[in-house]
């Protein structure tokens, strides 16, 4: 079982504002990708969960932007599970440039029925690997 993942990300022009600084929302996109890769490391993916009637959504998010990333930076985006409940999971996530932390977030994910959009317990395919 893998409880954490590190995703390398390169900053391209499309990720930045006119001044070459990463637009703040893009950090959240990078973190989403890291969580998706965490799921893949468990042998699952968002589409297979959706096909089985389960949807994972961000329930709560707290983010601290410490320093900016810039055009052409090589970053590492981490996702680590810190708690798991019946239908929620909390990740600690960080964006690093070498040993410098640029951004830190706590992201709480909820498990919903894709049909009813109501909380449900983790599906057996996911529960067995977490």
């Amino acid at each position: 079982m893998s409880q954490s993942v590190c995703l390398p990300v390169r900053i391209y022009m499309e990720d930045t504002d006119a001044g070459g600084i990463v637009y703040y929302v893009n950090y959240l996109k990078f973190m989403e990708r890291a969580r998706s890769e965490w799921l893949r490391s468990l042998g699952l993916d968002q589409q297979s969960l959706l096909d089985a009637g389960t949807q994972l959504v961000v329930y709560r998010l707290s983010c601290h932007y410490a320093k900016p990333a810039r055009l052409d930076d090589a970053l590492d985006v981490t996702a680590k599970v810190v708690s798991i409940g019946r239908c929620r999971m909390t990740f600690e996530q960080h964006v690093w440039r070498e040993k410098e932390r640029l951004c830190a977030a706590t992201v709480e994910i909820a498990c919903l029925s894709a049909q009813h959009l109501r909380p449900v317990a983790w599906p057996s395919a996911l529960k067995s690997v977490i």
Side-chain angles (χ1 to χ4, degrees), residues 98-109:
E98 296 182 7
K99 295 181 181 180
E100 184 176 35
R101 187 174 65 194
L102 306 182
C103 184
T106 301
V107 183
E108 193 170 347
I109 303 299

Side-chain angles (χ1 to χ4, degrees), residues 7-66:
L7 176 70
V9 172
R10 174 72 64 184
I11 302 303
Y12 297 99
M13 184 66 77
E14 67 190 32
D15 301 317
T16 67
D17 60 19
I21 303 294
V22 171
Y23 186 59
Y24 77 97
V25 167
N26 288 333
Y27 291 94
L28 302 180
K29 292 178 182 181
F30 303 152
M31 290 179 195
E32 174 74 27
R33 291 175 194 164
R35 291 191 309 275
S36 292
E37 291 306 318
W38 169 81
L39 196 58
R40 286 182 203 289
S41 77
L42 300 176
L44 299 167
D45 58 67
Q46 297 276 358
Q47 189 60 55
S48 64
L49 290 174
L50 277 172
D51 291 346
T54 300
Q55 187 167 1
L56 304 182
V57 299
V58 173
Y59 173 75
R60 184 177 297 145
L61 169 75
S62 172
C63 192
H64 172 74
Y65 300 97

Side-chain angles (χ1 to χ4, degrees), residues 19-20 25 37 83 95 117 121 128:
V25 167
E37 291 306 318
S83 70
V95 178
L117 300 179
S128 67

Side-chain angles (χ1 to χ4, degrees), residues 49-50 52-57 86-87 110-123:
L49 290 174
L50 277 172
T54 300
Q55 187 167 1
L56 304 182
V57 299
R86 187 181 84 75
C87 60
C111 183
L112 303 181
S113 158
Q115 181 180 4
H116 303 290
L117 300 179
R118 308 287 275 165
V120 294
W122 299 108

